[in-house]
Amino acid sequence: KAGVTQTPRYLIKTRGQQVTLSCSPISGHRSVSWYQQTPGQGLQFLFEYFSETQRNKGNFPGRFSGRQFSNSRSEMNVSTLELGDSALYLCASRPGGGTEAFFGQGTRLTVV
Amino acid sequence: QQPVQSPQAVILREGEDAVINCSSSKALYSVHWYRQKHGEAPVFLMILLKGGEQKGHEKISASFNEKKQQSSLYLTASQLSYSGTYFCGTEYVILGSHAGGTSYGKLTFGQGTILTVHP
């Protein structure tokens, strides 16, 4: 069974640009959540998608957005990048609530 | 709202025991425990559901006190491989209105506890 796949693994962007990250969940998993991880800040919840609908959202500005497709693949977009957006972005897939989450290897975003 | 973990860091020698605590100010539906090694993705350890029992495998176990909204992770006879950052994740049931009818929640994580095991 294939795991969670995130692409790309590494990205370097300039301030003001936008970026799109991709996450392919485990087959059959309908829930995809995105997290931002920075040193000392733990895993900050961005949003969760379930069956193409955003059901939960964290406390991030509107520059952070996402979507989920009919095959459960999800994308996360960050517009007008800031230096503080540099982080490891992780996605996690789950069958649904109350189940374990499987994490991808993450996308390391560096904003210069 | 994020759960609160304590302690922030633990240093052990092989064979020693450790306890990591996780608490929430909100009523919990589930508590998850994950371990992340440097440069790797978090890996699932166990999940405790409301109304469930204490869980464990080998030398790692966890408990869930529903009245206090607290969970503890117990690591006994620690091994070098236990080193890493431990995260507890908590979930509150948010009932959706989609066709599947399955409840789901927002899984938020604590700040993490850095566990270092020395020979």
Side-chain angles (χ1 to χ4, degrees), chain A residues 25-96:
Chain A
I26 291 172
S27 177
H29 288 190
R30 297 164 69 185
S31 169
V32 174
S33 296
W34 288 89
Y35 296 88
Q36 181 193 66
Q37 186 173 34
T38 54
Q41 293 298 313
L43 294 161
Q44 299 294 313
F45 177 84
L46 282 154
F47 29 66
E48 180 206 12
Y49 285 86
F50 188 97
S51 294
E52 302 180 62
T53 301
Q54 185 184 90
R55 290 295 188 178
N56 291 288
K57 192 176 189 305
N59 298 320
F60 278 80
R63 300 185 296 106
F64 291 81
S65 63
R67 59 178 175 168
Q68 186 179 34
F69 302 95
S70 58
N71 61 359
S72 292
R73 189 177 72 85
S74 178
E75 287 182 348
M76 188 189 89
N77 185 274
V78 188
S79 62
T80 318
L81 284 166
E82 301 177 359
L83 294 179
D85 296 334
S86 294
L88 178 66
Y89 291 88
L90 292 161
C91 85
S93 85
R94 310 164 71 187

Side-chain angles (χ1 to χ4, degrees), chain B residues 59-85:
Chain B
K59 298 174 182 175
I60 300 177
S61 62
S63 62
F64 180 13
N65 185 324
E66 294 178 34
K67 288 185 178 179
K68 293 185 177 181
Q69 307 306 326
Q70 292 176 348
S71 177
S72 294
L73 184 71
Y74 306 93
L75 302 114
T76 58
S78 59
Q79 305 168 12
L80 295 177
S81 62
Y82 286 5
S83 293
T85 302

Side-chain angles (χ1 to χ4, degrees), chain A residues 9 30 35 37 40-45 48 50-51 55-58 88 90 94 96-105, chain B residues 2 29-30 32 34 36 39-42 44 47 49 87 91 94 96-98 100 102-111:
Chain A
R9 289 292 311 276
R30 297 164 69 185
Y35 296 88
Q37 186 173 34
Q41 293 298 313
L43 294 161
Q44 299 294 313
F45 177 84
E48 180 206 12
F50 188 97
S51 294
R55 290 295 188 178
N56 291 288
K57 192 176 189 305
L88 178 66
L90 292 161
R94 310 164 71 187
T99 60
E100 64 184 273
F102 295 85
F103 284 86
Q105 291 299 314
Chain B
Q2 290 179 276
Y29 171 70
S30 70
H32 302 225
Y34 295 79
Q36 184 178 32
E40 299 179 8
F44 173 80
I47 181 173
L49 301 176
F87 292 99
E91 189 173 22
I94 301 175
S97 58
H98 46 84
T102 305
S103 66
Y104 63 91
K106 173 181 171 181
L107 181 59
T108 54
F109 290 90
Q111 296 296 89

Side-chain angles (χ1 to χ4, degrees), chain B residues 10-16 78-83 115-119:
Chain B
V10 182
I11 299 175
L12 301 172
R13 293 215 174 270
E14 267 188 300
E16 293 182 336
S78 59
Q79 305 168 12
L80 295 177
S81 62
Y82 286 5
S83 293
L115 181 77
T116 305
V117 181
H118 291 296

